[in-house]
Structures are given as C-alpha cells and as structure tokens.
Amino acid sequence: MKAIEEFLREHKIEEVECLVPDMAGIARGKILPAGKFLKGMKSHGLRIPDTVFVQTVTGGYPEEDVTPAEAGDCWLTPDPETIRIVPWYGEPTAQVICDAYDFDGKPIAISSRQVLRRVLELYAKEGWTPIVAPELEFFLVDVNTDPDYPLIPPIGRSGRRETSRQSYGLDAVNEFDPLFEEVYDFCEAQDIDVDTLTHEAGAAQMEMNFNHGPALQLADQAFLFKRTVREAALRHKVYATFMAKPMKGEPGSSMHIHQSVVDEDGTNIFASPSNGRSTKIFLSHIAGLQKYLPAVMPLLGPNVNSYRRFLRESDAPINTHWAIENRTVGLRVPHSDAQARRIENRLAGADCNPYLAIAASLACGYLGMKQKMKPRQPIEGSAYRLAHTLPRTLHDALHRFQGNRQVKDILGEHFVEAVVAVKEAELDEYQQVISSWEREHLLLNV
C-alpha cells in the first residue's frame, strides 16, 4: 500500500472516499480523513456491513438473508491501481475503489468486482486476456424534483430545447459545450480514458466512447464516469440520467460492449494474423453470446425500466442474431483489421452495473469458446423482422437467470441467488406503484 501513501502525501490529500460498487452499480462506502484512512488501511479498520452488496436500488433489503453465512461486517482493501483525485471538490480529496473480504481473507463472492474477477480468472487459466471498450449513452434533462412529471430536455446555450432528433449533430452537442468541457477535464484528472463524444438519436441524448483496455480497468472507468457526468451536469443545473428508457417517444440508452480476447503474446485470437479471417474460436465466442445472453439479462437489463428499451425499430435489439456492420442485431461485428477484430454486444442498458454487465458478456463468450459452439448464420437485412427472443420483463429475465445451470456455475450460485432475491424485492415494491397510464386509461373506462 506504499503507492497509496505516496499518492496521498504528494497531492496533500485531506479526505479519502472509499468506494464500493453495489449490485446496482451505485457508489457506496465511507469518507475518512486521510490520516484515519491510512490507519484503517493498515489495521483492517476499513469496515462496512456486507449487506451493502444486497441493498436494493430503493435502499431496502430482500426479506431472505442472502449475505455470506458469516453475515456481519467485511473489511475493505483499497486497490492501489484505482486511487485518483476527486476533481470537483475544493479541498484535496482522493477516491479509491475497494475490494471486500471476510475476516478470513476470502473475497466477498457477491461483490461486483469479485464477480468480474471470477470470470477473468477463467480466461487467465486459458492464457487469454479479454479486452473491452464500452460505449455509454445518457440523456441530459431538466432538473426534475417531482417524479410524477415526465422528463424534458434541458435548455441549451441558444435558449431553446431540442424538439427533434439530432443524430451526430455537432451544433446540438455544442449547446452544452461548457458542460462537456468540464466532463473531459474531470475525466482527464481521473485517468478515465474517454474518446469520442457524439449526439445520439434522442433529444439531448449523448454517447461517450471509451478507448479499449483490460476488462477490470474499463469497468472501473465506466463506474467512475457515471458519477462524473452526473456531478458535472449538476454543476450546470441539469440532470444526466443513465436510465435505460427515461422518456416516452425517445430511444433508450445502452452500454454497448466491444469485446475481444488476446493471447499471452498480445495477439488477438479472434482473427488470423496472416489473412485477417475470423477464427473458429471467434465464431464460438459469438455462439456463446447467442445462446447464453438471454439467460443473463438481469445483469444487462437490471431494472423494471430496462425492458421498455427493447422494442422493434427502436435502436435497441430484440434478439441475439449477429451480422457484420448491422446495427439492428444484438451482436454486431464491426469492419476491422485482424488485431482489432471484435464483437459488439448491443444488449446492455446504460443503467447496468458495468462490472456485472461486462462479467456476464465475457462469461457467455467464454462458455461458447470452451464448448466449441457454432453460431447461427449471420443475417442480412433488418433483425427487427425476426422473432423477439429476449426477455420482455424483469420477471421473465429472472426466471431464465435462475434456471440456467451453466450461468450459475460460471458466475457463482450464491451470487445468482443474491441477484434474484434483490431484484424480486424491487419487483415487489414496484408492483405497489400505480402509474399515470393506469389512472388515465382505467380510472373511468373499466
């Protein structure tokens, strides 16, 4: 932990935020004075209840106890690779992402980072390293303090709101140029390696692409990026939302995951270096995604709102067909040279926990590779003309998730049980809400 001590001393840090991503990808943890943080780091004094990993998105807990058998506190170990400045505070403040362990030194199996590490260890045993590059979409919306009112696009520099779709519109992005300049500054200060910013199809909907890299590093960056964008937006008196489907009549927001695999020499095993053709193992990876992605949808679409995104002709997939340079499919192969050969998983929503979505996507590809599966033929034309084979609700998704033996084996049975318990608790709470649609169409008509 010497590197952490040197970082705190070099930057004259006064406070440290210990961050732990929960199941929803929300940043939980503790804020400590730098001195107390260092003392706790050396003496297992950085503790947190293990129930933080089964906290629902509403702040509750499932009735069933699905925490580890030794339930109680767990201790946090800061990952030195993740320590960064928090650039929006006036006082020198650091943040560090932590891993959680029980008091016997075993990782908490249901923590998000540990689930991803579990999958990466399977790849490592084969001499493989997954490389990923997320693309995160989000909407800017007016400040909304009453959840009964629909969201609306914010007013930009011109003094007007967007009322039409401005895909790839440069001037539409520049409406919020001061905000995005701050986002880029904040990302640079935190070593978040973002690349391209584009305007997406929705009103005030944006997309930020990340440069590719090792899976855990990119999951960390996506986790910090969400927090960063929300903070920057608040400083400009707007909200940034990563809800999968925040507005009626607008497309949803996704987190597309570009993924490839390199061997111990750093060579991409998805294409032949000599002729650039896709390899059998690449096709097996695609086949694994086709077969198993519908079973891991609670990790790609984790919320009730997530399934509003999967509609025909809505810029979101409805099945797991694959094709080359076709954005209607769930699995797209971009044109690329041999070293950049990859598959783009287009199923995950922007509302997902990036650790769990990346873990799930890589797990499905791994199963295909190990089982030497063969994919269906790539399609031509629109995938929207074909059957809708993805789960249509979170309830359906949980049923498939819980019933798949291969998924349980690769992600951990205890973790699957915890996800189901947490999401069923959220569903039970959601079922108590009466929507405006029900009041409008049922109140006096039935």
Side-chain angles (χ1 to χ4, degrees):
M1 295 299 175
K2 185 178 179 181
I4 291 180
E5 294 185 56
E6 291 176 353
F7 183 94
L8 299 185
R9 184 168 56 251
E10 178 186 349
H11 292 88
K12 298 181 173 57
I13 297 298
E14 297 178 8
E15 285 190 331
V16 179
E17 296 181 339
C18 298
L19 307 181
V20 182
D22 72 358
M23 190 175 290
I26 297 170
R28 309 285 181 185
K30 293 184 173 183
I31 304 173
L32 300 89
K36 190 169 184 179
F37 165 79
L38 288 172
K39 182 179 178 181
M41 184 177 67
K42 296 173 181 176
S43 62
H44 291 178
L46 303 176
R47 299 187 181 187
I48 200 167
D50 57 13
T51 52
V52 74
F53 298 109
V54 293
Q55 192 167 358
T56 67
V57 75
T58 61
Y61 301 91
E63 291 185 10
E64 176 188 359
D65 183 7
V66 287
T67 52
E70 62 275 8
D73 282 356
C74 55
W75 56 272
L76 303 178
T77 299
D79 183 343
E81 298 293 324
T82 69
I83 191 160
R84 293 164 163 88
I85 292 289
V86 185
W88 50 81
Y89 292 146
E91 296 180 351
T93 304
Q95 60 188 332
V96 63
I97 301 173
C98 299
D99 291 306
Y101 295 85
D102 65 24
F103 293 139
D104 291 328
K106 293 183 295 187
I108 301 298
I110 60 175
S111 68
S112 300
R113 279 186 117 226
Q114 180 56 28
V115 173
L116 178 53
R117 285 186 192 277
R118 180 186 176 108
V119 174
L120 295 179
E121 286 168 4
L122 294 174
Y123 275 84
K125 288 178 181 177
E126 305 293 331
W128 300 333
T129 301
I131 302 296
V132 304
E135 300 174 347
L136 261 170
E137 297 173 347
F138 56 94
F139 277 88
L140 299 178
V141 299
D142 250 355
V143 170
N144 180 294
T145 57
D146 188 335
D148 281 334
Y149 281 85
L151 301 174
I152 58 174
I155 295 174
R157 291 190 306 160
S158 66
R160 304 183 68 181
R161 303 183 198 277
E162 280 189 34
T163 56
S164 60
R165 296 189 174 184
Q166 300 291 335
S167 297
Y168 298 98
L170 297 181
D171 291 337
V173 174
N174 288 333
E175 283 285 290
F176 306 100
D177 187 57
L179 189 162
F180 288 117
E181 284 187 3
E182 196 156 47
V183 168
Y184 273 112
D185 288 344
F186 286 168
C187 286
E188 183 178 358
Q190 298 172 89
D191 294 322
I192 299 175
D193 193 12
V194 291
D195 187 18
T196 309
L197 169 67
T198 57
H199 195 295
E200 274 297 324
Q205 185 188 29
M206 311 296 172
E207 178 183 272
M208 191 75 82
N209 298 342
F210 293 72
N211 288 311
H212 65 272
L216 183 59
Q217 290 182 20
L218 269 295
D220 286 337
Q221 290 184 37
F223 169 62
L224 295 175
F225 175 78
K226 284 186 171 185
R227 188 174 185 233
T228 298
V229 173
R230 282 191 289 260
E231 176 63 29
L234 286 173
R235 291 165 66 92
H236 292 268
K237 297 182 172 55
V238 299
Y239 287 166
T241 178
F242 292 88
M243 281 180 65
K245 185 76 168 180
M247 288 193 277
K248 178 181 177 180
E250 298 290 348
S253 292
S254 66
M255 188 185 83
H256 297 159
I257 304 170
H258 292 252
Q259 56 197 64
S260 59
V261 179
V262 299
D263 62 18
E264 293 171 334
D265 296 326
T267 301
N268 189 340
I269 65 173
F270 282 176
S272 169
S274 60
N275 58 28
R277 293 176 183 172
S278 295
T279 58
K280 289 182 179 179
I281 203 164
F282 180 42
L283 296 178
S284 292
H285 191 91
I286 293 173
L289 292 169
Q290 287 190 307
K291 180 175 180 178
Y292 291 109
L293 280 176
V296 298
M297 282 303 295
L299 307 183
L300 307 179
N303 302 301
V304 173
N305 177 262
S306 305
Y307 296 84
R308 298 185 185 277
R309 181 175 147 255
F310 302 111
L311 300 172
R312 293 182 189 275
E313 310 294 343
S314 65
D315 295 333
I318 59 172
N319 48 48
T320 59
H321 288 289
W322 75 283
I324 297 172
E325 285 298 353
N326 183 335
R327 286 182 165 83
T328 69
V329 296
L331 301 167
R332 166 180 169 258
V333 179
H335 279 302
S336 57
D337 60 26
Q339 191 58 20
R341 189 63 42 81
R342 62 196 184 275
I343 186 74
E344 178 191 18
N345 176 356
R346 298 173 60 81
L347 272 64
D351 58 336
C352 69
N353 175 326
Y355 299 96
L356 299 183
I358 292 172
S361 191
L362 293 176
C364 294
Y366 172 85
L367 286 170
M369 295 160 79
K370 288 294 289 180
Q371 296 169 15
K372 298 182 179 178
M373 296 172 61
K374 294 182 179 180
R376 301 186 294 273
Q377 289 296 311
I379 70 160
E380 296 182 1
S382 175
Y384 292 127
R385 75 183 194 279
L386 304 173
H388 189 309
T389 57
L390 296 178
R392 292 178 180 268
T393 66
L394 180 57
H395 178 80
D396 180 19
L398 289 171
H399 178 73
R400 299 195 203 188
F401 185 58
Q402 193 172 25
N404 193 290
R405 183 71 259 169
Q406 289 89 344
V407 166
K408 286 184 177 179
D409 288 343
I410 198 168
L411 297 178
E413 188 155 0
H414 187 192
F415 169 70
V416 171
E417 291 174 356
V419 171
V420 172
V422 169
K423 293 304 168 184
E424 285 185 343
E426 293 175 0
L427 275 171
D428 289 344
E429 191 164 349
Y430 176 78
Q431 285 297 98
Q432 300 178 43
V433 177
I434 310 303
S435 70
S436 59
W437 186 95
E438 292 165 279
R439 289 190 292 270
E440 179 177 353
H441 296 289
L442 304 180
L443 181 66
L444 301 176
N445 291 333
V446 297

